[in-house]
């Protein structure tokens, strides 16, 4: 005869196996497709009485980043700094981040991305339309900042006032740059460009700040509302590790490399000392963070939720 007694342990083991058996004999379930990396189109936060929205107008992978950053250091030094920050030394991701500031009386777009379509799409995803933009402020004339100004001679933000640094315009005026001629020259010829000097106001609470070096007349903009400040830094520092931890590293796109390094140290020192947040055009999206000192350089501290508090 067979002993039919079943122990409690055997009973529990058998019950636990039932779902596996059912799965093995039941209908097959299709696996989900791989979707690839994804990023939000915009991020909004408050600064006093202002609403600030960063727009992701594009992102791309860039190989061999030491052809751009750290031109004056060895491959070993560059690799060591990258490894310490847990990022690869042989490739990088670039972000392109125009910013919209709603002061309540004006809707100001700072820089316009590479082309109109992507910037307008991000703007609309954030709840705005191109014809609501009252001011377009240009930090400098590199193509990834002026590319969205117009398409085939048609202005993207036709109802806006256009402002840029006087020294910046003068530096590009006779350069023969094709993007400048296609995107900026028509605005100048039509008398639509207004020029800023260091300390000039775009609107109340929005002040131009000289940040020369990356280009001859590169401008940052300080926002101030209800005692709160934020710097729209554009390209004074272009990478959260290679520019902040190593502000003296030379950058390919900096026109005056010595002046650019001095500007980085000056502005990063100010941000760290005053604990003022900043938006960097090429920082990891949403491009918003803080700065703290770290040895002879600085450390980027990404924003978490500080400026989303009511």
């Amino acid at each position: 005869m067979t002993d039919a007694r079943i122990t409690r342990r055997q009973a529990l083991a058998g019950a636990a196996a039932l779902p596996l058996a059912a799965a093995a004999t039941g209908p097959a379930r299709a696996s989900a497709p791989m979707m690839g990396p994804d990023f939000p189109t915009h991020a909004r936060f408050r600064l006093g009485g202002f609403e600030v929205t960063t727009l992701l107008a594009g992102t791309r992978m860039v190989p061999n980043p030491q052809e751009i950053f750290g031109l004056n250091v060895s491959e070993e030094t560059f690799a060591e700094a990258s490894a310490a920050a847990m990022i690869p030394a042989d490739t990088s991701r670039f972000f392109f981040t125009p910013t919209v500031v709603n002061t309540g009386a004006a809707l100001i777009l700072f820089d316009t991305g590479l082309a109109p379509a992507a910037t307008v799409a991000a703007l609309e995803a954030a709840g705005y339309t191109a014809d609501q933009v009252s001011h377009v402020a240009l930090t400098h004339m590199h193509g990834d900042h002026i590319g969205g100004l117009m398409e085939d001679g048609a202005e993207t933000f036709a109802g806006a006032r256009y402002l840029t640094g006087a020294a910046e315009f003068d530096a590009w005026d006779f350069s023969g740059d094709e993007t400048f001629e296609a995107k900026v020259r028509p605005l100048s010829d039509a008398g639509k460009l207004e020029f800023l000097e260091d300390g000039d106001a775009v609107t109340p609470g929005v002040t131009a700040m000289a940040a020369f070096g990356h280009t001859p007349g590169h401008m940052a903009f300080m926002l101030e509302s209800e005692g709160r400040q934020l710097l729209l830094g554009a390209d004074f520092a272009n990478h959260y590790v290679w520019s902040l931890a190593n502000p003296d590293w030379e950058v390919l796109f900096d026109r005056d490399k010595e002046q650019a390094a001095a500007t980085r140290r000056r502005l990063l020192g100010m941000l760290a000392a005053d604990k003022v947040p900043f938006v960097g055009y090429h920082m990891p999206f949403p491009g918003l963070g803080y700065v703290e000192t770290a040895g002879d350089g600085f450390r980027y501290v990404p924003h978490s939720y500080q400026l989303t508090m009511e």
Side-chain angles (χ1 to χ4, degrees):
M1 292 182 62
T2 302
D3 188 345
R5 289 176 295 175
I6 301 175
T7 67
R8 174 178 171 80
R9 179 175 296 176
Q10 289 170 326
L12 291 174
L18 287 175
L20 298 177
T25 59
R29 296 178 183 271
S31 60
M34 297 294 182
M35 304 298 287
D38 196 13
F39 299 94
T41 59
H42 64 281
R44 182 157 34 241
F45 54 93
R46 292 190 67 85
L47 185 80
F50 293 174
E51 280 192 339
V52 181
T53 306
T54 59
L55 307 175
L56 185 59
T59 175
R60 65 184 175 91
M61 299 300 294
V62 178
N64 304 317
Q66 203 189 352
E67 294 180 356
I68 300 173
F69 296 96
L71 302 183
N72 56 334
V73 300
S74 68
E75 290 184 14
E76 292 75 18
T77 298
F78 186 85
E80 288 172 2
S82 302
M86 295 180 284
I87 55 176
D90 61 350
T91 189
S92 181
R93 181 178 288 278
F94 280 17
F95 298 85
F96 304 89
T97 313
T99 298
V100 180
V101 177
N102 187 352
T103 70
L107 188 69
I108 310 167
L109 175 65
F110 293 86
D111 293 330
T112 65
L114 290 151
T119 301
V120 170
L123 187 70
E124 291 178 347
Y128 305 116
T129 59
D131 60 4
Q132 288 179 302
V133 174
S134 62
H135 300 67
V136 174
L138 302 172
T139 62
H140 64 294
M141 301 296 178
H142 279 158
D144 55 326
H145 296 255
I146 64 174
L149 280 170
M150 57 178 58
E151 191 81 69
D152 299 326
E155 294 177 41
T156 309
F157 310 100
R161 294 170 54 189
Y162 300 94
L163 305 100
T164 193
E168 182 70 2
F169 180 85
D170 290 344
W172 290 81
D173 193 13
F174 297 105
S175 67
D177 181 82
E178 292 184 3
T179 305
F180 175 86
E181 293 299 327
K183 306 286 186 172
V184 178
R185 179 71 68 193
L187 300 174
S188 174
D189 288 347
K192 292 187 174 184
L193 269 182
E194 302 175 36
F195 298 108
L196 299 167
E197 303 287 351
D198 182 32
D200 285 349
V202 176
T203 63
V206 181
T207 305
M209 177 184 294
F212 301 164
H214 180 64
T215 58
H218 181 281
M219 286 287 189
F221 291 88
M222 182 65 80
L223 309 181
E224 185 165 5
S225 176
E226 298 177 1
R228 307 291 296 276
Q229 288 185 312
L230 179 139
L231 182 72
L232 300 180
D235 284 12
F236 89 93
N238 280 340
H239 192 275
Y240 79 105
V241 173
W242 300 322
S243 295
L244 269 74
N246 306 280
D248 299 322
W249 280 12
E250 292 183 357
V251 180
L252 176 66
F253 299 118
D254 286 346
R255 183 83 66 87
D256 184 326
K257 293 174 173 48
E258 184 176 349
Q259 186 180 38
T263 293
R264 272 192 292 279
R265 283 202 172 274
R266 174 173 60 86
L267 292 184
L268 291 170
M270 177 198 73
L271 294 172
D274 297 343
K275 302 187 184 305
V276 172
F278 82 109
V279 171
Y281 194 81
H282 298 292
M283 295 295 134
F285 194 76
L288 175 63
Y290 297 81
V291 178
E292 61 184 15
T293 57
D296 188 44
F298 302 88
R299 182 181 293 113
Y300 183 67
V301 182
H303 173 265
S304 56
Y305 56 77
Q306 300 96 318
L307 299 180
T308 63
M309 308 294 284
E310 292 297 334

